[in-house]
Amino acid sequence: MMGVKEQTKFNLQEAFWDIYKEKPINKISIKEITDRAGYNRGTFYNYYTDVYDILNEIKQGLVPSEELISAVLQWFQDYDLSSITKEEKEQARFEVEQSYDDELNEKMNERIMVLLGPNGDPDYLYEYKKEARAKVMEQVKDLIEKDQMKLEYIIEFLLSGIIHTWMLWNENNMNISKEEVDGMFDEISEIGFEKVLSDIFNNKK
């Protein structure tokens, strides 16, 4: 159960987010937030300096999803990378999931998609990829330095592809199922881009 301070901050964040989904942050006033949350302006200033402060706190609570880390690690599962073991992949998933339940994960993913979207935070894509890249690189820290440097670029390539695919999926109102998106990544991971493209263009159906 939340204390009074935690509950107040939670209510302010929820009110801010409801408005942020509807308009750019530079158009949001503190009065709008406090009116929606049921507080006065003084209460807001007890916890935050401005609207950017409250957004930054929300961003800090959004970690790269277990699905993203798992998807990148999946690309390496058939290669001789001693640090990429099943046990360590499971540990990576656990570290990202931690205390988050399914409902909270869904809420976090929704917020991440808003921040990555056209009306979101222009800096967030860079911040999100940087944190995700660090989490993946942690799983290959036993490689020699030269290979780690090369792998970091490959990870950036994979992360960019996965994230932008999810962004397109969200932009297209999820017009294919999540299972189809996941299956597409799995298929590319297993047989490569060339085989997937060949199957698409040679499909006789």
Side-chain angles (χ1 to χ4, degrees):
M1 184 175 179
M2 293 184 188
V4 175
K5 178 180 178 180
E6 290 77 14
Q7 186 66 58
T8 302
K9 292 186 73 174
F10 175 82
N11 292 341
L12 288 169
Q13 288 185 14
E14 291 295 300
F16 165 81
W17 190 260
D18 285 344
I19 301 169
Y20 183 68
K21 290 189 295 185
E22 301 167 0
K23 59 168 59 174
I25 190 168
N26 60 355
K27 302 291 185 183
I28 299 175
S29 70
I30 291 170
K31 186 175 186 304
E32 283 181 283
I33 299 170
T34 53
D35 283 351
R36 185 167 298 204
Y39 301 110
N40 57 44
R41 288 170 59 89
T43 300
F44 180 92
Y45 288 115
N46 285 335
Y47 301 100
Y48 303 105
T49 56
D50 54 29
V51 292
Y52 295 94
D53 190 22
I54 195 170
L55 176 60
N56 285 334
E57 184 166 296
I58 290 173
K59 286 163 54 177
Q60 289 169 11
L62 299 175
V63 299
S65 71
E66 174 269 339
E67 290 178 308
L68 179 64
I69 306 304
S70 178
V72 175
L73 291 174
Q74 179 75 23
W75 291 81
F76 306 132
Q77 68 174 359
D78 296 326
Y79 296 89
D80 185 20
L81 299 177
S82 59
S83 61
I84 303 277
T85 64
K86 180 179 179 180
E87 291 75 17
E88 285 171 328
K89 288 204 297 186
E90 290 301 320
Q91 178 63 24
R93 292 177 180 180
F94 172 77
E95 288 174 358
V96 176
E97 286 180 326
Q98 295 185 49
S99 61
Y100 300 114
D101 57 26
D102 289 340
E103 183 178 350
L104 186 53
N105 267 322
E106 184 176 343
K107 178 179 179 180
M108 288 173 61
N109 289 338
E110 180 265 341
R111 291 189 172 184
I112 288 169
M113 285 298 102
V114 170
L115 286 166
L116 291 174
N119 297 319
D121 185 339
D123 296 328
Y124 188 66
L125 177 58
Y126 169 80
E127 296 166 2
Y128 187 75
K129 286 197 298 180
K130 182 179 180 181
E131 185 173 356
R133 191 170 61 247
K135 288 181 178 294
V136 178
M137 288 298 296
E138 179 66 20
Q139 303 303 308
V140 295
K141 61 185 178 183
D142 292 338
L143 293 175
I144 64 173
E145 184 178 358
K146 184 177 180 180
D147 286 341
Q148 284 194 42
M149 288 190 291
K150 288 182 179 179
L151 194 58
E152 186 173 15
Y153 287 99
I154 295 172
I155 290 169
E156 173 65 17
F157 174 81
L158 296 175
L159 281 172
S160 296
I162 293 170
I163 292 170
H164 282 88
T165 299
W166 284 348
M167 290 167 64
L168 178 62
W169 183 55
N170 191 64
E171 181 183 325
N172 286 342
N173 297 313
M174 304 177 184
N175 58 348
I176 62 176
S177 70
K178 181 179 180 299
E179 289 70 26
E180 288 179 279
V181 176
D182 291 342
M184 178 177 61
F185 287 131
D186 289 343
E187 187 178 15
I188 293 171
S189 174
E190 291 173 8
I191 64 177
F193 283 104
E194 185 176 350
K195 182 63 168 62
V196 172
L197 289 173
S198 175
D199 289 346
I200 290 173
F201 287 109
N202 291 300
N203 192 345
K204 303 300 182 182
K205 293 182 181 179

